[in-house]
Structure formats: structure tokens, C-alpha cells
Amino acid sequence: MATDIKDTAHAVDAAAVMGLLRSRPRLLALGEPTHGEDAPLELRNELFRQLVEQEGYRTIAIESDCVRGLLVDDYVTSGTGTLDEVMEQGFSHDWGSSAANRALVRWMRAHNDGRSASERVRFAGFDGPLEITGAASPRQALTALHGYLAAHVDAQLVPCTAPTLDRLLGADDRWTDPAAMTDPARSVGRSAEADRLRLLADELVTLLDVQAPHLIAETFRDDWDRACLYGRTATGLLRYHHGMADTSPARMTRLCALRDAMMAHNLLALAARGPVLVHAHNSHLQREKSSMRMWEGRVEWWSAGALVSARLGEEYAFVATALGTIRHQGVDVPPRDTVEGLLYALPQDHCLVDPRGLATALGDTPPAPRMSPWFGYAPLDPAHLAGIDGLVFVRDVPRS
């Protein structure tokens, strides 16, 4: 079996990835099983660089705030701002402090320098403006959408004024109260003002759609695309806040599903623009249902990858990542009867494994699921092998 498994392992490069696929997918996703470790991100950077240069991918999307990501896109495409500013302000979840993410942004800016617009690589965040402790106020997205429409559409068609939006939104800390994550009574998501804002957001998005020919001709396609992003974000945030006020047992299931739905809508919009490289946690990109144990018990929901795969079919591809050790987090050498344990016996520091060949080599004896002593690392579920197109394995992860 060891020889058979060795035969399934390849170098982690663009040619090897494309060799596992029938054709170039419109959306090629690379997952990670943990956050905050630079070693897998450095491997991502090199692989994405090759895929941009050799396969024509023109957008790199990561699991970060989609609105903040606009600042990074402006920097890498036109040099607006400074690297320090965009790393501090253009990322959520503290991703801007990562040396590997900084290197990615620096490379994208250098790559684009002097290139035509069609040759530039774009940056995108595809997560909503959400954190583990709560969600952002819908103010920024709503007011930006309203401002775009008010500037370019007959005022009689715009369903509200800016002062009306401001009055209904109220103070932002009403929306961002972290206590609302665990106490639905603290959420304003089902107040009369929030209900009115949901209706107005729907009307603004509808106006954006029905005026698309005029707006795209009057402004630029990128401006209209950005307004669509604001519309998706505003309606998504208002749905999420509505869900935070839910008192039913399905509350956390709905919230997790809503977040991944926001991710999926953003990814589909990016894919409509051209071929996209995506990086996020495996759980957001897998084709199977995701699950998590929370304070209200176990919740399950369809991931963004599952939602996108259902829409794009073979134009979506998912390459998962598994790790051998993260010793500084207490994740030691994996047991030999797990997928990670079998791959750990290979001599390479990192490799790309063909999951179909691996499944054949494993035969009728399924590997045992690995258990992690650290909550921050999610081992590969061997039952998911059939649903992935490639598996990157990193043997040992040093402290970042």
C-alpha cells in the first residue's frame, strides 16, 4: 500500500493541479484545515502565482470581508493607498497581520505594475462583514448603494432619501453589540426599523437591476459591479441580523447557512467576471455539508463550496489541504491508520495527492478519522475523499 500511495503524490504546482482536472475550472478553490499558519499560505502564494501566470486566472479571492477587500483591490490594480494601510484596513479576522498575506498583496501589486487592465490580477474578499462575535452594521453597504443610485437615477425612482436611511439605521453599536450573538433579545434585527430597512434594501437592489443598461453605460462596469456587491452585502447583513434575533432552536444553523450563502453569492458574482482562485477554510469550500459543535449543540449547513458546486458543476474544483503536525499547537504525528498518518510516511515535505488514486490504494479498508487535540485544526474526514479534486499535504507546520 505504501508504494501505491507514493505513486499518487506529485509536486505542488500548477501543472500537477491542472493534471487532476478535466479542464480549467472557472472557480478553483484551495482549502486549509486551520487558520493563522503561514506555511500553508506560502505554498498557496506560489501555487496561485503559477496559476495566474500559466493558466490565466485573473482574480484571487480569500475568506475576508468583501467590502474591506475593495481597498486591497484598489491597491493591487492601481496603487491606491500604501501596503501598510491596506494590510491594516483591507482585511477582516486579523488576516492583514499575516506575513504570507502581505507577501501575496505585494506580489499582486508588482505583477500588475505596467500591465493593461485585462492582464491585471484582481483581489477580492468573499466573506461577509462578519466576525465570530457578531455582524457589522449594514450602514456602509446601504449608504454606498443608495449614493450610487441617487447620483445616476431619477430621484423619483429612488425609494428613500439618505436622511431616512440614517434615521432607520440609528447608532451602529446597536447592530454590532457582541452580546447579540448569544442573546437574541439583544439583537435589533427584528425591530420595526430593521424590517423597514430590509424592504428598502430589496427595492434599491431591484432598482439597480432594472436600471442596469443605463447605469453600466452611464458609469463603468466596475462601478455597477461594486454597487451589486454593496447590494448583496446590505441584504445579506439584514438577513443575518434578522436571524440573530431568532429564538428558535434552528437559530445557529440558519446563521451559519446565511454566512455561507453570502460567500457563495459573492463567489458566483466573481466567477461571472472570469476565472477565480479561492482560498478559505476547507469547511467553507467542501462539497459536503459542514458541521460545528457550538454552545447550542451541533449544527449542520451547506457550505459555500457546496452551493457553488451545485450551480457551476464541473466549472468548480476543490483542492483540500491536510496537515501532519502543528507541534506548537499540540498537534503531533498523526496515527498511522489515518489519511494524514499514511501521507506522513511519504518523504516529501509537501505534496499534491490524487484523491482517486489514494482511494484506490486504500482499497476496501477505510482509514480511521483523525482526532485533533486542538480545536483550531480540523482533520480531513476520510469520507470526503470522493468529493475533492486534489489533496495538498503539508508534513510539518512550523510556528509562524
Side-chain angles (χ1 to χ4, degrees):
M1 179 185 293
T3 302
D4 292 340
I5 291 176
K6 186 177 181 180
D7 291 341
T8 71
H10 311 277
V12 183
D13 57 33
V17 170
M18 300 310 295
L20 296 178
L21 309 174
R22 294 183 181 179
S23 61
R24 186 188 73 170
R26 179 167 287 266
L27 205 158
L28 175 54
L30 173 65
E32 64 175 356
T34 187
H35 287 317
E37 301 297 337
D38 273 351
L41 299 187
E42 290 164 359
L43 198 60
R44 171 206 66 184
N45 289 356
E46 176 58 21
L47 179 59
F48 279 10
R49 180 189 66 78
Q50 293 178 23
L51 288 164
V52 166
E53 295 176 349
Q54 299 173 24
E55 298 295 334
Y57 283 91
R58 289 294 178 264
T59 298
I60 293 176
I62 74 168
E63 184 188 337
S64 184
D65 183 331
C66 57
V67 176
R68 288 195 190 188
L70 297 174
L71 297 174
V72 186
D73 187 50
D74 287 342
Y75 174 75
V76 300
T77 55
S78 62
T80 302
T82 68
L83 180 59
D84 286 342
E85 289 170 348
V86 299
M87 297 311 299
E88 181 180 353
Q89 302 170 23
F91 291 84
S92 57
H93 313 311
D94 198 33
W95 298 159
S97 65
S98 161
N101 283 336
R102 187 182 185 88
L104 175 67
V105 174
R106 186 189 297 113
W107 171 78
M108 292 175 72
R109 177 67 201 125
H111 173 87
N112 288 335
D113 192 27
R115 294 181 187 266
S116 66
S118 64
E119 294 179 314
R120 293 174 193 151
V121 59
R122 306 284 299 271
F123 178 92
F126 72 95
D127 200 354
L130 307 169
E131 296 284 356
I132 296 298
T133 55
S137 163
R139 177 184 301 280
Q140 182 180 3
L142 263 180
T143 55
L145 172 61
H146 180 273
Y148 174 77
L149 291 169
H152 302 292
V153 174
D154 188 328
Q156 294 183 344
L157 298 176
V158 181
C160 62
T161 64
T164 297
L165 281 182
D166 187 63
R167 176 180 58 81
L168 291 170
L169 286 162
D172 284 347
D173 58 9
R174 298 168 62 238
W175 299 91
T176 59
D177 180 5
M181 195 66 202
T182 54
D183 182 2
R186 297 290 293 271
S187 172
V188 298
R190 300 197 177 190
S191 64
E193 293 86 356
D195 287 345
R196 177 63 178 159
L197 285 168
R198 290 187 76 190
L199 178 60
L200 290 174
D202 181 73
E203 292 182 352
L204 290 169
V205 169
T206 300
L207 183 60
L208 187 65
D209 284 340
V210 301
Q211 291 290 321
H214 162 70
L215 290 167
I216 293 172
E218 176 82 8
T219 61
F220 295 95
R221 179 57 186 253
D222 277 357
D223 294 330
W224 186 78
D225 284 342
R226 186 165 290 201
C228 290
L229 171 62
Y230 290 135
R232 291 192 303 273
T233 304
T235 54
L237 277 173
L238 287 165
R239 286 192 201 104
Y240 196 88
H241 282 289
H242 183 82
M244 289 180 73
D246 182 14
T247 59
S248 78
R251 178 176 182 267
M252 289 310 302
T253 297
R254 290 197 178 106
L255 290 178
C256 291
L258 285 172
R259 181 187 178 193
D260 271 76
M262 291 177 71
M263 290 183 173
H265 293 154
N266 285 331
L267 289 175
L268 289 168
L270 292 171
R273 192 173 71 187
V276 185
L277 299 170
V278 184
H279 186 259
H281 199 281
N282 288 333
S283 64
H284 290 304
L285 300 176
Q286 64 191 31
R287 290 184 171 92
E288 294 78 11
K289 273 190 171 182
S290 297
S291 64
M292 182 184 300
R293 184 161 296 281
M294 308 186 78
W295 58 89
E296 294 183 353
R298 180 181 172 86
V299 295
E300 293 184 350
W301 70 97
W302 288 110
S303 72
L307 298 174
V308 170
S309 180
R311 299 281 288 274
L312 296 184
E314 290 190 358
E315 288 198 292
Y316 177 74
F318 170 46
V319 177
T321 296
L323 307 177
T325 71
I326 321 173
R327 288 188 171 89
H328 58 278
Q329 298 290 4
V331 181
D332 214 329
V333 176
R336 294 182 180 181
D337 60 346
T338 65
V339 170
E340 290 93 336
L342 293 167
L343 297 178
Y344 196 81
L346 298 176
Q348 299 97 320
D349 290 333
H350 47 75
C351 59
L352 174 70
V353 177
D354 176 0
R356 292 173 292 275
L358 178 60
T360 299
L362 292 173
D364 297 329
T365 305
R370 184 184 187 186
M371 306 301 292
S372 173
W374 176 48
F375 74 94
Y377 170 64
L380 179 73
D381 186 340
H384 291 179
L385 278 175
I388 63 177
D389 301 294
L391 175 61
V392 171
F393 181 71
V394 179
R395 198 169 189 273
D396 299 295
V397 177
R399 186 185 297 272
S400 296

